[in-house]
Amino acid sequence: MPDADCIKRVYALKNLGCANCAAKMEYKIKELPGVEYASVSFVTKQLRLSAKNHEVLLPAIREICASIESDVEVVPRSGMMPFNFESKVYLLENLGCANCAAKMEKAINDLPDVSAATITYATKQLRLTAKNHAQLLPQVQAICSTIEAGVKVVERIGKPVLAENINQRKKSGGILSMSDEQRSLAEIVFGGILFIISEIAGLVPEAYHIYCLVAAYILLGGRIVLTALKNSTKGQVFDENFLMTVATLGAFAINQYEEAVGVMLFYRIGEYFEHRAVEKSRGQIMEAVDMRPEVVNLLIGEDVRVIPAEEANVGDILLVRAGDRIPLDGVVIEGESLLDTSPVTGEPVPVKRSFGDEVISGCINTSGMLKIRVEKVLAESMVTKILDSVENAAASKPQLDRFITRFARIYTPFVVAVAVLTAVIPGFITGNWEYWTYTALTFLVISCPCALVLSVPLAFFSGIGAGSKYGILFKGGVTIEALKNVKAVVMDKTGTVTKGNFVVQKLVPVSGMEEDELLKLCASAELVSSHPIATSIVNAAKERELKLERPQTFEEIAGEGLVVEVSDGKILCGNKKLLERFEIDFSVREEDNYGTEVLVARAGKYLGQIIIDDTLKEDAVAAVTSLKKMNLTTAMLTGDAAESAQAVARAAGIDEVRAKLLPQDKLNELGRLRKQYGGVMFVGDGINDAPVLAGADVGATMGSGADAAIEAADVVFMNSEMQAIPQAIALAKETTRIAWQNVFFALAIKIIIMAAGLAGYASMWAAVFADTGVSILCVLNSIRILYKKI
């Protein structure tokens, strides 16, 4: 049982750049006293922490993270502030220096009562989370103007101001500001040029050859060596920087100067492209799911005021122009348009929305202008739910990820130990110390587990991102892992297999009575009722353009039906109990119809029956066929009548049916199916489905379902279509397959290079490929699922 006093919070890990380091941080944070739960996600760069006293733990957590990776900063995630904290956005006017912006950010973060501060140089914005903005603002202004004269801090109002050209020159000296990525690229280019002209082109005299190589090494490996020395003083001797430093300096020690510089060059190139590949893949995924608006157009009378989206309240009227996204969940109060819902549901066909229709945030208004009334604030709207779902899913690690994390803690020390033994034992036996030392140094390069630690979570994160493109929200990597193992798919009937809307299916008048006359009499009576069955009958009459008469008097008998007076006399519309109460003979009625029947009588005589039932979803048959092709058993559990359930199951092609079930009965039947077939997925959408959703191996619900069902489910199908069920299973299987491919590929290459090294066929260059090269290939393999049609 989780401790009721524990508080859950999410922290951003700024500058986190190493998947293996993230795993080490998680391991150490979990060991802190007072921590109930901790999960570090390298993909989203977040720490999810459950503890009693976050304020006491935070310094220790920051110390752990900094000791493992020195540049990492731990700050509360924007949008999940501690109590009494508020987040605001400020513009930094006249800001002209990226390095100065970094200094400002650090100084502001060090202020008391500041929970988080982030300065984005590209947009010249400061996002500040603090207790008292009014008191802090003068201090923030003083910090900024001290670091760069002329900078003014003003609260952002309206649309965010775009940054000026980020390549503009600094006012002082006219030197271009350089990012870490640009600096890394410059080091690689100039170091590479030095290496090429000294080693390949032969343009450097022999007397200066060694000096040129040393200069190239300093350019390429200087920062790595310094980082390794800094980290080693904190006890981090198995990180990538330390291992590369030992390997290349060892190569210098055995007079392999060219090898040392060349390996460092290859390593830096691989590291650069690995970083670009990871960031690009993360950006592609987050761009697909982060649809939150910066600002909204608030209507005040006839005036339009642009305000931050988080300031919009329930009841506000917003203007949505053609081409804009729907910013917040709401209801149309004026206008008509076609909405592209594919960003949210994956459904490519636009839907029409007009007065009174609900609209969800994230959809694109493709044609007319709309005025909508806000029903949910930004934190509760669909765009935020989707983003939170993806981020939460990334933090929920599957068993494969946890296994690889544990394996990595053993793998590196093991390979390092093998490297030491390789240098000592064969060297002592053969006397060829240089050869075996070189082989050992090759092992050191291979010993970094980054490719392994990175490949699994990125594969699952890509699968989660790909799911969002189809309107499928997975609530964790654990869900994906469980979904690939299901053997049976069990479905509720109403709202899952069927549309959940009652429709007149059949009119059965007695001899001498016309269908239209029967429908007209019943619909006239049902005009006084708001029951869904009554609504379906009235709609059917309107579709036939029948003229209805509103009853003069009416009486509704609970559980039986209606008794009304019209110009033609007394009309009864209801079930058998109603007609039995008034002693009306209805023995001629047909009894082989499935669905809900409404019996109609007038002036004491039975006139016929109207059959009402739900309609099968258009894709139900195709979805069930797809599931059967996957060798999965299909079943339906419903509380509806057996005749209706059997008819729907026959039409859809479902294997097994259990009807007239209470919620607890569904749970018992689910247990029986699990025992018979194995892992079970249950798909439902009602409040009464919450227990069975929670009890299934994988619980899934339609996006149109009840909030309680969505909360209890592991997977949400935003488009509410059945075809999403086989799509989700296929996506889970493909995601897990890619994750295992990455693991086997990374391990296989490392083992092959180690074996080749022992046999004398592998070099340190090949070892670098086994490290950074494999990482790049694993990243590319992971993101291909984003482009694969499921």
Side-chain angles (χ1 to χ4, degrees):
M1 284 283 293
D3 196 322
D5 295 330
C6 284
I7 300 169
K8 295 179 182 178
R9 286 186 187 163
V10 181
Y11 298 90
L13 300 179
K14 292 183 180 180
N15 307 317
L16 178 65
C18 169
N20 189 39
C21 298
K24 291 180 182 179
M25 291 172 192
E26 179 181 299
Y27 181 75
K28 288 200 170 186
I29 292 168
K30 282 180 175 178
E31 292 183 327
L32 289 174
V35 172
E36 184 187 77
Y37 170 81
S39 173
V40 174
S41 170
F42 174 70
V43 177
T44 58
K45 297 186 178 181
Q46 288 181 357
L47 161 66
R48 294 177 180 272
L49 183 70
S50 180
K52 288 183 179 180
N53 196 325
H54 287 253
E55 286 69 25
V56 171
L57 282 169
L58 198 52
I61 291 171
R62 283 175 171 154
E63 186 178 340
I64 287 172
C65 294
S67 69
I68 295 172
E69 197 170 349
S70 58
D71 293 332
V72 169
E73 297 177 35
V74 183
V75 295
R77 193 190 73 175
S78 175
M80 297 191 71
M81 289 90 69
F83 184 65
N84 283 338
F85 278 69
E86 184 183 5
S87 183
K88 285 188 178 182
V89 180
Y90 298 90
L91 293 176
L92 301 180
E93 294 181 354
N94 306 318
L95 178 66
C97 166
N99 188 43
C100 297
K103 293 177 182 178
M104 293 172 194
E105 180 178 291
K106 185 178 186 309
I108 295 169
N109 270 306
D110 290 339
L111 288 174
D113 294 332
V114 170
S115 173
T118 305
I119 293 178
T120 306
Y121 178 68
T123 57
K124 297 185 179 180
Q125 290 182 4
L126 162 65
R127 292 180 178 271
L128 183 65
T129 303
K131 283 185 178 179
N132 194 321
H133 285 255
Q135 288 183 4
L136 278 171
L137 198 54
Q139 298 176 61
V140 172
Q141 176 65 69
I143 287 170
C144 294
S145 57
T146 300
I147 294 173
E148 187 175 0
V151 172
K152 288 182 62 178
V153 183
V154 295
E155 188 170 349
R156 189 193 70 184
I157 300 173
K159 291 185 178 180
V161 179
L162 294 176
E164 298 172 18
N165 187 349
I166 60 172
N167 292 321
Q168 67 181 349
R169 297 183 181 274
K170 289 185 180 179
K171 294 179 181 178
S172 57
I175 302 172
L176 285 172
S177 60
M178 186 176 288
S179 67
D180 284 341
E181 186 173 323
Q182 290 170 327
R183 190 180 298 113
S184 293
L185 188 58
E187 290 169 353
I188 292 169
V189 170
F190 289 115
I193 290 171
L194 274 177
F195 178 70
I196 291 169
I197 64 175
S198 65
E199 184 61 27
I200 300 174
L203 299 177
V204 178
E206 188 66 29
Y208 299 100
H209 183 247
I210 184 65
Y211 299 111
C212 194
L213 287 176
V214 169
Y217 182 84
I218 292 171
L219 268 174
L220 293 166
R223 282 204 291 169
I224 290 174
V225 174
L226 289 174
T227 303
L229 291 172
K230 187 190 301 182
N231 289 348
S232 64
T233 61
K234 300 171 184 176
Q236 300 301 317
V237 294
F238 285 136
D239 70 354
E240 197 163 33
N241 295 297
F242 183 84
L243 295 168
M244 279 302 301
T245 298
V246 172
T248 52
L249 291 180
F252 267 106
I254 59 174
N255 300 319
Q256 294 284 341
Y257 308 115
E258 297 87 354
E259 191 86 1
V261 179
V263 164
M264 186 62 79
L265 173 62
F266 191 19
Y267 168 74
R268 289 297 302 276
I269 293 171
E271 182 188 48
Y272 176 80
F273 282 108
E274 177 188 340
H275 174 75
R276 290 294 299 271
V278 171
E279 289 303 314
K280 185 174 177 61
S281 64
R282 184 189 291 116
Q284 287 172 324
I285 296 165
M286 296 309 293
E287 185 180 351
V289 299
D290 191 357
M291 298 175 285
R292 294 173 301 174
E294 281 282 330
V295 295
V296 295
N297 298 318
L298 176 67
L299 273 173
I300 303 174
E302 295 299 319
D303 297 327
V304 178
R305 181 184 169 199
V306 181
I307 64 170
E310 60 266 20
E311 293 182 11
N313 297 311
V314 174
D316 284 349
I317 307 302
L318 305 181
L319 183 69
V320 184
R321 299 183 176 93
D324 291 347
R325 284 189 189 272
I326 303 297
L328 304 173
D329 295 0
V331 174
V332 177
I333 63 166
E334 187 179 318
E336 182 176 293
S337 182
L338 290 174
L339 298 188
D340 176 6
T341 63
S342 60
V344 177
T345 66
E347 174 56 51
V349 181
V351 295
K352 185 180 178 181
R353 289 292 181 265
S354 56
F355 176 79
D357 291 333
E358 292 184 354
V359 290
I360 56 175
S361 52
C363 299
I364 299 172
N365 180 22
T366 63
S367 51
M369 189 165 63
L370 297 175
K371 292 180 182 179
I372 67 170
R373 183 180 66 248
V374 176
E375 296 294 313
K376 293 180 180 178
V377 297
L378 180 62
E380 298 172 3
S381 285
M382 185 58 66
V383 285
T384 303
K385 288 181 180 177
I386 291 173
L387 181 63
D388 286 345
S389 177
V390 172
E391 290 183 341
N392 291 338
S396 174
K397 298 180 180 180
Q399 290 299 319
L400 176 58
D401 192 2
R402 296 178 188 276
F403 166 74
I404 291 298
T405 301
R406 290 194 300 268
F407 176 78
R409 288 200 291 267
I410 302 168
Y411 168 82
T412 301
F414 173 77
V415 177
V416 171
V418 171
V420 173
L421 293 174
T422 301
V424 174
I425 297 175
F428 181 77
I429 295 172
T430 64
N432 191 354
W433 290 98
E434 184 174 319
Y435 171 80
W436 290 109
T437 300
Y438 179 84
T439 304
L441 295 175
T442 301
F443 287 3
L444 286 181
V445 177
I446 296 173
S447 65
C448 182
C450 278
L452 286 169
V453 178
L454 170 66
S455 60
V456 173
L458 191 60
F460 278 90
F461 191 46
S462 296
I464 291 164
S468 70
K469 291 171 65 176
Y470 289 97
I472 301 169
L473 295 185
F474 297 107
K475 291 190 179 178
V478 175
T479 297
I480 292 177
E481 205 167 42
L483 196 55
K484 76 172 180 64
N485 294 320
V486 298
K487 302 299 180 186
V489 177
V490 184
M491 295 158 278
D492 182 36
K493 171 179 167 284
T494 307
T496 302
V497 182
T498 62
K499 293 181 179 179
N501 58 335
F502 287 102
V503 176
V504 172
Q505 301 284 358
K506 189 176 182 182
L507 297 165
V508 190
V510 296
S511 178
M513 170 69 64
E514 295 292 330
E515 285 188 1
D516 282 1
E517 181 65 18
L518 176 67
L519 181 59
K520 175 184 174 182
L521 289 172
C522 187
S524 295
E526 298 288 3
L527 279 173
V528 298
S529 175
S530 60
H531 193 280
I533 290 178
T535 302
S536 67
I537 294 171
V538 172
N539 288 339
K542 288 180 178 178
E543 286 174 5
R544 296 194 182 198
E545 299 182 350
L546 302 177
K547 189 175 180 181
L548 306 182
E549 177 187 352
R550 184 165 290 277
Q552 300 163 6
T553 62
F554 72 92
E555 177 188 4
E556 187 169 359
I557 302 174
E560 295 183 14
L562 288 168
V563 181
V564 304
E565 286 281 352
V566 295
S567 58
D568 285 346
K570 181 183 288 186
I571 297 177
L572 307 180
C573 295
N575 55 25
K576 291 186 290 184
K577 290 182 180 180
L578 181 67
L579 269 62
E580 287 170 351
R581 175 189 289 270
F582 287 88
E583 299 179 348
I584 294 174
D585 180 19
F586 54 90
S587 57
V588 294
R589 97 184 214 285
E590 290 186 6
E591 296 188 4
D592 59 348
N593 291 302
Y594 73 88
T596 301
E597 65 176 358
V598 177
L599 306 181
V600 184
R602 178 179 61 182
K605 290 185 179 180
Y606 174 69
L607 300 180
Q609 62 188 141
I610 299 176
I611 308 301
I612 315 292
D613 201 26
D614 206 348
T615 52
L616 198 69
K617 287 184 176 178
E618 287 84 355
D619 63 340
V621 175
V624 172
T625 302
S626 297
L627 291 172
K628 288 183 175 180
K629 286 180 180 178
M630 296 178 181
N631 297 318
L632 299 174
T633 300
T634 56
M636 187 167 70
L637 305 181
T638 179
D640 290 357
E643 297 85 357
S644 177
Q646 290 286 355
V648 169
R650 281 196 301 272
I654 294 171
D655 299 319
E656 297 188 28
V657 183
R658 299 290 185 277
K660 292 185 177 180
L661 299 177
L662 297 173
Q664 60 268 29
D665 298 329
K666 286 185 179 181
L667 204 53
N668 293 335
E669 283 295 324
L670 191 78
R672 182 189 64 80
L673 290 167
R674 180 188 287 114
K675 190 174 181 179
Q676 183 176 353
Y677 298 109
V680 175
M681 176 188 190
F682 180 81
V683 188
D685 74 334
I687 294 174
N688 61 345
D689 289 329
V692 69
L693 283 168
D697 295 280
V698 178
T701 188
M702 300 296 173
S704 58
D707 287 344
I710 291 174
E711 186 67 27
D714 302 305
V715 187
V716 180
F717 303 129
M718 299 302 300
N719 55 18
S720 298
E721 294 180 356
M722 276 193 68
Q723 195 61 45
I725 302 172
Q727 280 181 335
I729 296 172
L731 195 56
K733 289 179 182 293
E734 183 65 16
T735 299
T736 310
R737 188 181 300 116
I738 286 174
W740 275 110
Q741 284 173 358
N742 288 346
V743 171
F744 285 129
F745 179 68
L747 279 176
I749 293 297
K750 288 177 181 287
I751 291 170
I752 289 169
I753 299 297
M754 288 175 70
L758 287 172
Y761 294 109
S763 66
M764 289 177 66
W765 294 72
V768 173
F769 170 75
D771 179 27
T772 57
V774 169
S775 294
I776 295 170
L777 292 176
C778 287
V779 169
L780 296 175
N781 188 45
S782 297
I783 64 173
R784 68 185 174 86
I785 197 171
L786 292 171
Y787 307 100
K788 186 171 182 177
K789 188 172 179 62
I790 300 297

